Amino acid sequence: MGRRNTMQKELTYEAVMSYPGHPSADDIYRVISSKHSTISKATVYRNLAALSEDGRIGRVESFANGEVHYDHRTEEHCHGYCMRCGRVVDIAIPYDNRLNIEAEPMEDGFSITSHKLIFEGICNECRKKEKENGTEGIKD
Amino acid sequence: MGRRNTMQKELTYEAVMSYPGHPSADDIYRVISSKHSTISKATVYRNLAALSEDGRIGRVESFANGEVHYDHRTEEHCHGYCMRCGRVVDIAIPYDNRLNIEAEPMEDGFSITSHKLIFEGICNECRKKEKENGTEGIKD
DNA sequence: CTGGGTGCAAACTCTTTGCATTCGG
DNA sequence: CCGAATGCAAAGAGTTTGCACCCAG
């Protein structure tokens, strides 16, 4: 009934833990397949799902493109999404867990179990690029 | 250069305005095509994008499945996402726009332009269903 | 042994795009 | 008129699934 430990799962885990930032499933797939070319993308997806269900890695979703990202940090924290390049960064904001409004149903009967605070903006790298290109102001 | 007013765009607008709740693009497509069977799904997508860009309708995204929902309300407000059925509901929470932390770059250089506060939970209808089925507690 | 895991390809969902045609301003 | 908008179908991106085979416990 339990989970098995396979080499593929360990490779997936190690890839997430050593990846700087917040890799997508495809990022992880590329890292692993560069050394272990026979691994299947489906296996990576399945293992990422299993590992995050088991709490061994973090799962970060709900960005503009619907992509799911993974995280070597498993504790709750806020993320920022770069509107230019799609990069996901950690945001060190103390507000998040102050919103202690879970549990009681709202006026319309909606029962909140969790919340996410997501920031959107421009990451450092993209801001640098914009300065270099002299396109500081309005742009898209 | 400007936008044109077509019948399809008005149909799309009317469908969003008269739809109770937060329809997906496909919800809107189904409503319109039931009376106007020749409309194309691509046209609905294009018009929903144009209408929300023009601020005539609201756009609500960042939910678990990556689906985009539309909204007849255009002012900023919080949404709740039902983990059971995917329904999106309005959440009347005063916290959201109190988070006045835009504009200044963070310690790592990330420059925040906006944020979203998203709630997850169980909607009223799904809670009722669970009670009827006697499956109150742990489940999934 | 046995059923959870794997690899492959095909399927799926939501959305976008190319292109010829239509039509609003 | 002329370019924005349409309809259609095909392509995309990201993810999931069916199935036969494999291997960890």
Side-chain angles (χ1 to χ4, degrees), chain B residues 33-105:
Chain B
S33 65
S34 70
K35 309 170 214 157
H36 203 273
S37 61
T38 59
I39 199 167
S40 163
K41 193 174 275 195
T43 297
V44 172
Y45 272 93
R46 283 187 279 233
N47 279 326
L48 287 169
L51 288 166
S52 58
E53 271 173 31
D54 293 349
R56 295 184 63 197
I57 63 175
R59 182 185 167 94
V60 193
E61 56 184 39
S62 292
F63 298 100
N65 53 6
E67 228 180 37
V68 177
H69 293 252
Y70 293 89
D71 195 338
H72 50 82
R73 292 175 65 186
T74 54
E75 80 280 12
E76 279 294 319
H77 58 286
C78 291
H79 292 99
Y81 177 78
C82 178
M83 306 290 276
R84 290 280 187 278
C85 68
R87 193 191 313 258
V88 176
V89 305
D90 287 332
I91 298 281
I93 289 278
Y95 303 72
D96 188 32
N97 292 322
R98 304 287 169 76
L99 295 172
N100 192 19
I101 50 184
E102 332 276 271
E104 351 65 84

Side-chain angles (χ1 to χ4, degrees), chain B residues 1 4 8 17 24 28 32 41 49 57-58 68 70 92 100 109 115 120-121 127 131 134:
Chain B
M1 277 302 188
R4 285 182 190 171
Q8 289 87 339
M17 296 312 274
S24 65
I28 295 300
I32 301 176
K41 193 174 275 195
I57 63 175
V68 177
Y70 293 89
N100 192 19
H115 65 270
E120 293 179 339
R127 290 208 306 143
K131 274 185 189 162

Side-chain angles (χ1 to χ4, degrees), chain A residues 27-106:
Chain A
D27 290 333
I28 295 301
Y29 170 69
R30 282 197 301 269
V31 167
I32 300 174
S33 65
S34 70
K35 309 169 215 156
H36 203 273
S37 60
T38 59
I39 199 166
S40 162
K41 192 173 274 196
T43 297
V44 173
Y45 273 91
R46 282 186 280 233
N47 279 326
L48 288 169
L51 289 167
S52 59
E53 272 173 31
D54 293 349
R56 296 183 64 197
I57 62 175
R59 181 186 168 94
V60 192
E61 55 182 41
S62 291
F63 297 101
N65 54 5
E67 226 180 37
V68 177
H69 293 251
Y70 294 89
D71 196 337
H72 50 83
R73 292 174 65 187
T74 53
E75 79 280 13
E76 280 294 319
H77 58 286
C78 291
H79 292 101
Y81 177 77
C82 177
M83 305 290 276
R84 289 280 186 279
C85 68
R87 192 192 314 258
V88 176
V89 305
D90 287 333
I91 298 282
I93 288 279
Y95 304 70
D96 188 33
N97 292 322
R98 305 285 170 77
L99 296 171
N100 192 19
I101 51 184
E102 331 276 270
E104 353 61 85
M106 307 301 298

